[in-house]
């Protein structure tokens, strides 16, 4: 056993002692059949931003736009419009190849379960150690540059998510009509009111999406983002709302997705006089306690508009990350079919 104590509200062990996909266990074949039944028109929506957005590195300085390049194939010819006759005089083909350095959490992305952990006394020795979902450990399972093969998630890497294919029923709650571009910490009371108004029902296994309009703003800013909008505009979930955390736990959702930066209102105001609290309470409840992957900076606006105009909230969602062994996150190009 990897742990003696598990955190309150966690499901560690419930899907098996070595489980690495968490709530994706609830995304069953039956859920996928129910999702396919939501396809009425066959129309598709690309839910990814162009991966070079937001542009610059103002959101997180260590996350940079993609860097693309090309190798030489036959000196001095680079692999762009490369005349294949240089390799075989009979060939009339030309060809292009490139490479890219991608910061996995720069743009539209999934957070792997190795993205966030916490200091917690899982082994019961009276001292907190850094642990991740299901008790996987920093230094053993999640290793840095000091380790052979590091940095890597030797367990809980994003490839575990990719191997499930990540297809199911998407359910969208549209926050934008109510809050516009206002920076609003959204509570469960707000969400319940909107669900009631829009007749949205969430069931176990559902892939729950919140549309705020932030992704559209990133597109509209064209790669030159206004810091005020990046940091201080559009709705974010209120991770300090205990009722909202309980809803995430009790609803049985398989994943949680937003079109904003971090799903929740990060960074939160300090708690005066308090030390040792979660900086990212929704990340903690989802990634660490329950194994709920988080999707961030998706592009949900055209889909939200379509669903609103058609009095719908459900669709087939296909959203695998890259099958990139050991990674803490991944870009994604999710597809909604309605
Ligand atoms: C942070 O690291 C703030 O979280 P995320 O990349 O999941 O938004």
């Amino acid at each position: 056993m990897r742990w003696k104590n598990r955190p309150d509200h966690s499901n560690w062990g419930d899907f098996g002692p070595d489980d690495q996909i968490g709530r994706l266990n609830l995304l069953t074949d039956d859920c996928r059949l129910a999702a396919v039944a939501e396809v009425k028109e066959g129309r598709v929506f690309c839910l990814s931003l162009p991966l070079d957005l937001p542009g610059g590195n103002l959101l997180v300085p260590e996350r940079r736009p993609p860097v693309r390049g090309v190798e030489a194939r036959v000196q001095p010819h680079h692999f762009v419009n490369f005349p294949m006759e240089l390799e075989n005089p009979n060939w009339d083909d030309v060809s292009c190849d490139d490479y890219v350095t991608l910061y996995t959490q720069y743009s539209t992305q999934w957070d792997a379960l190795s993205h966030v952990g916490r200091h917690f006394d899982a082994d019961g020795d009276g001292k907190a150690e850094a642990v991740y979902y299901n008790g996987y450990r920093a230094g053993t399972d999640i290793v840095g540059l000091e380790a052979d093969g590091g940095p890597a998630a030797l367990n809980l890497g994003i490839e575990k998510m990719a191997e499930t294919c990540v297809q199911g029923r998407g359910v969208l709650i549209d926050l934008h009509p109510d809050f516009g571009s206002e920076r609003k910490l959204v509570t469960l009371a707000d969400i319940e009111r909107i669900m009631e108004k829009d007749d949205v029902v969430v069931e176990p296994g559902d892939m729950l999406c919140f549309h705020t309009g932030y992704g559209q703003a990133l597109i509209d800013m064209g790669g030159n983002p206004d810091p005020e909008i990046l940091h201080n505009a559009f709705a974010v979930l209120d991770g300090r709302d205990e009722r909202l955390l309980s809803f995430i736990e009790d609803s049985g959702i398989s994943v949680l997705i937003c079109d904003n930066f971090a799903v929740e209102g990060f960074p939160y105001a300090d708690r005066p006089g308090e030390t040792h609290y979660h900086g990212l309470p929704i990340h903690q409840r989802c990634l660490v306690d329950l194994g709920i992957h988080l999707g961030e900076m998706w592009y949900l606006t055209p889909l939200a508009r379509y669903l609103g105009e058609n009095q719908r909230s459900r669709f087939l969602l296909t959203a695998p990350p890259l099958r990139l062994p050991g990674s803490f996150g991944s870009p994604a190009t999710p597809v909604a079919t309605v």
Side-chain angles (χ1 to χ4, degrees):
M1 193 68 159
R2 198 170 294 105
W3 49 268
K4 287 197 185 120
N5 304 320
R6 70 179 192 177
D8 291 344
H9 301 286
S10 87
N11 59 6
W12 293 9
D14 292 359
F15 297 117
D18 301 322
D19 177 66
Q20 298 192 38
I21 59 168
R23 281 281 193 88
L24 284 170
N25 284 287
L26 300 186
L27 196 40
T28 60
D29 295 353
D30 285 344
C31 290
R32 274 182 286 278
L33 285 174
V36 168
E38 297 296 337
V39 178
K40 314 289 184 201
E41 293 186 28
R43 187 167 162 194
V44 286
F45 291 85
C46 174
L47 305 185
S48 174
L49 296 169
L51 292 182
D52 56 356
L53 292 184
N57 63 340
L58 291 175
L59 266 178
V60 179
E62 298 76 22
R63 295 177 184 169
R64 297 179 187 283
V67 180
R68 297 182 46 264
V70 65
E71 294 277 344
R73 175 137 176 186
V74 172
Q75 290 292 358
H77 297 280
H78 282 82
F79 209 162
V80 180
N81 304 320
F82 178 76
M84 301 284 279
E85 66 192 343
L86 290 176
E87 291 188 2
N88 181 329
N90 298 323
W91 290 344
D92 63 1
D93 317 64
V94 294
S95 177
C96 301
D97 252 46
D98 59 359
Y99 63 78
V100 60
T101 302
L102 277 176
Y103 287 70
T104 54
Q105 274 133 347
Y106 180 73
S107 187
T108 300
Q109 69 189 266
W110 280 115
D111 287 347
L113 300 184
S114 48
H115 175 51
V116 167
R118 88 161 65 105
H119 289 102
F120 174 75
D121 179 17
D123 58 10
D125 68 354
K127 284 189 302 226
E129 58 278 348
V131 289
Y132 294 78
Y133 169 70
N134 220 6
Y136 286 98
R137 289 282 189 100
T140 310
D141 302 295
I142 316 295
V143 297
L145 289 167
E146 72 290 347
D148 271 357
L154 304 177
N155 285 298
L156 301 181
I158 198 70
E159 76 279 12
K160 299 292 189 307
M161 183 188 207
E163 287 156 16
T164 74
C165 298
V166 194
Q167 185 177 56
R169 183 169 61 203
V171 177
L172 187 135
I173 297 175
D174 195 355
L175 304 176
H176 185 67
D178 281 62
F179 305 120
S181 60
E182 171 198 355
R183 170 52 60 104
K184 154 86 180 149
L185 276 168
V186 175
T187 63
L188 185 64
D190 299 315
I191 293 167
E192 285 171 335
R193 182 175 46 74
I194 293 169
M195 286 175 72
E196 167 106 26
K197 167 171 69 81
D198 294 345
D199 199 17
V200 181
V201 176
V202 175
E203 296 181 60
D206 281 346
M207 305 168 80
L208 181 58
C209 305
F210 286 97
H211 170 243
T212 70
Y214 187 86
Q216 183 64 54
L218 294 180
I219 288 194
D220 294 344
M221 291 186 287
N224 229 336
D226 173 345
E228 183 57 26
I229 293 178
L230 275 189
H231 299 293
N232 296 319
F234 295 95
V236 287
L237 301 190
D238 183 356
R240 290 185 173 167
D241 177 14
E242 283 299 331
R243 286 188 66 240
L244 175 55
L245 295 175
S246 298
F247 167 77
I248 292 169
E249 185 178 338
D250 300 338
S251 60
I253 57 169
S254 52
V255 294
L256 178 57
I257 295 152
C258 276
D259 62 347
N260 59 19
F261 162 51
V263 175
E264 58 185 312
F266 179 78
Y268 294 89
D270 283 341
R271 287 180 181 273
E274 281 186 55
T275 55
H276 289 95
Y277 48 83
H278 300 331
L280 290 155
I282 290 183
H283 283 58
Q284 288 294 333
R285 184 65 59 92
C286 288
L287 296 174
V288 184
D289 294 332
L290 298 171
I292 297 176
H293 293 80
L294 297 175
E296 294 161 339
M297 278 196 274
W298 288 29
Y299 181 45
L300 298 172
T301 298
L303 173 68
R305 196 172 297 133
Y306 166 88
L307 293 171
E309 284 168 3
N310 290 275
Q311 291 83 49
R312 293 179 59 179
S313 59
R314 294 175 160 196
F315 51 94
L316 170 65
L317 177 56
T318 308
L322 298 179
R323 194 176 182 179
L324 193 58
S327 201
F328 307 134
S330 169
T333 306
V335 176
T337 312
V338 296

